[in-house]
Amino acid sequence: MGSEHKISQPGKVVHFDRRGSKGPLPTTPASGGELGTTLCRELLSARAAGQSAQLLVFRISNFDLLVETFGPDFGNAAEAALLEQLRGLLRRREPVQRIQPGEFGIVGQGIRSEEALRAMTSRVVEGGTGHYEIEGVPCRLKLQIGVAACPTDSDEPEELLHFARFALRGLGDSLDSCRSFSRDELTRRKAMFRMEAEMEKALEEQRFILQYQPQFAVSSGAVTGMEALVRLVRDDGTRVAPGEFIPLAEDNGFIVRLGHWIIREACEQLARWRAADLYVPRIALNVSPRQLQDPRLVEVTESAVADNGLSMSDLEFEITERCMLGESEKVTETLTSLRQRGVRLAIDDFGTGYSSFAYLAWQPLDLIKLDRSFLARVGNDSRTDAVVQGMVNMARQLGLGLVAEGVENEQQANFLRRVGCEVAQGFALAHPQDPEAITQLLVEAECA
Ligand code: C2E
Ligand code: MG
Ligand code: MG
């Protein structure tokens, strides 16, 4: 026998040795496009018969790593071992076709329910995933499957391949092993690419702007600070809210460059107000976890402050609890260094997500911003009232400032006054506004 293999189930260890390997397994034949004639024919015949079919595309998820580590011959042997293993588990009408290295396809026919589809995909995944011994090397092959349905998703074989691969890629490093194509997800992905390009262009064309939302002393109504909030202005003048691009900017790292612009812009604006003799004690900037990993953050902040004749204590950085998660050395170092230079540090949206009281004892912290979901419930729910009162007391005891976010009505403002909260921010007091409108507001406040 030219090749030696041993397949054992259960507790499966597959031994495979394809001696005298003559190079890679044949990939798809020339006709039938990338998908190959067999799979293509099956899909087209299902389509002609008016029947539904599923294209299952599966990959050895660690294939590239294995080939990089052990070489291409090992990759060929791994594929052959997998096919051998699957051959015993699949029906004759389910021929497996290799599409490209580490990637295979099967057409599922007559699958009429989710359960039937699940049964077939788990037959492949569970059957193929496991421990193998390939050419004397013990290794684990792990399969992941993407599924596209004909004709629901598409009735074109090549498009089905594209969609099944899209679903497969969506699995990423997750522990899930199977995913069906979703058109909504494709639409979202396309929008994400568009937004990525739009953000780049907007930065180049200076189409990001900052609005400012004042924060007020509850007792006197004096402005205690301004929170800078970024918006993207489209060519047609419409404004895109940060919720639509900040998460993406965080994911792809764009937030670092955008953040530099925000810091400079906010400092310039504060200097303009100061030059006009308008009193703004400080500006609060939102800083996302990714920005705290930026080795230039401190330097960029210092130069923006110096260039505008400000001091570091004119700035407050709002970080979310997510920044503190795991509290990497780099993040702690950056925050400590900012704090030592005078920047005030706030925890934004406190009470959502991963609230931990441990953060409150964290030394460099200056203040907490109580998430607006608390205020939304005060007055209707005695427990929330008690929580807010407790937070106010605790902040005072810890020597921390406290800003209540999301004050939307008079009742909430009165409540804050009653419990002794010092600073408030919200639509009932002032919406986020363009700098010119804020200038007007400051002028009126000075005249009052
Ligand atoms: P955030 O830092 O918690 O900002 C407060 C958000 O609540 C703002 O939304 C503001 O318009 C809104 N808001 C203020 N008062 C009220 C109120 O009374 N009721 C309600 N319902 N909402 C109120 P916006 O501007 O859409 O910002 C959303 C989030 O986007 C911010 O939440 C912040 O996490 C992020 N973000 C905004 N600007 C920046 C930025 O320059 N850099 C970074 N990294 N993130 C930013
Ligand atoms: Mg904020
Ligand atoms: Mg907030």
Side-chain angles (χ1 to χ4, degrees), residues 215 227-229 284-287 318-320 348-349 369 405 425:
Q215 297 167 343
E227 178 172 3
L229 296 158
L285 299 171
N286 292 283
V287 178
E318 297 187 2
I319 58 173
T320 58
D348 204 356
D349 305 337
K369 295 190 75 181
E405 294 189 89
Q425 178 180 351

Side-chain angles (χ1 to χ4, degrees), residues 380-447:
N380 305 316
D381 169 19
S382 58
R383 284 208 174 195
T384 304
D385 293 3
V387 169
V388 176
Q389 174 76 76
M391 290 297 302
V392 170
N393 296 345
M394 193 165 61
R396 191 171 298 135
Q397 256 201 331
L398 290 165
L400 295 171
L402 184 120
V403 178
E405 294 189 89
V407 185
E408 293 185 349
N409 56 50
E410 191 58 28
Q411 186 200 13
Q412 291 165 345
N414 288 336
F415 174 84
L416 292 176
R417 218 162 278 129
R418 249 191 345 267
V419 296
C421 174
E422 286 163 13
V423 180
Q425 178 180 351
F427 293 165
L429 310 169
H431 278 261
Q433 295 161 68
D434 290 349
E436 301 72 33
I438 294 289
T439 303
Q440 191 60 31
L441 180 147
L442 292 169
V443 169
E444 281 162 19
E446 301 247 319
C447 297

Side-chain angles (χ1 to χ4, degrees), residues 71-87:
D73 284 350
F74 186 88
N76 300 334
E79 287 183 330
L82 174 68
L83 285 179
E84 185 80 28
Q85 170 73 2
L86 290 178
R87 209 155 279 145

Side-chain angles (χ1 to χ4, degrees), residues 246-277:
I246 290 285
L248 182 59
E250 285 182 23
D251 278 353
N252 70 7
F254 177 77
I255 191 71
V256 170
R257 280 185 293 139
L258 177 60
H260 292 172
W261 176 83
I262 290 169
I263 292 167
R264 287 200 195 96
E265 176 61 27
C267 286
E268 283 170 22
Q269 184 55 57
L270 183 58
R272 282 194 282 272
W273 281 322
R274 296 252 170 107
D277 269 341

Side-chain angles (χ1 to χ4, degrees), residues 208-270:
F208 280 105
I209 56 155
L210 292 183
Q211 284 199 317
Y212 297 86
Q213 185 176 33
Q215 297 167 343
F216 297 93
V218 173
S219 54
S220 65
V223 172
T224 60
M226 296 278 175
E227 178 172 3
L229 296 158
V230 69
R231 280 92 178 84
L232 185 158
V233 184
R234 292 223 155 103
D235 286 331
D236 64 4
T238 53
R239 292 179 175 194
V240 185
E244 288 186 45
F245 59 85
I246 290 285
L248 182 59
E250 285 182 23
D251 278 353
N252 70 7
F254 177 77
I255 191 71
V256 170
R257 280 185 293 139
L258 177 60
H260 292 172
W261 176 83
I262 290 169
I263 292 167
R264 287 200 195 96
E265 176 61 27
C267 286
E268 283 170 22
Q269 184 55 57
L270 183 58

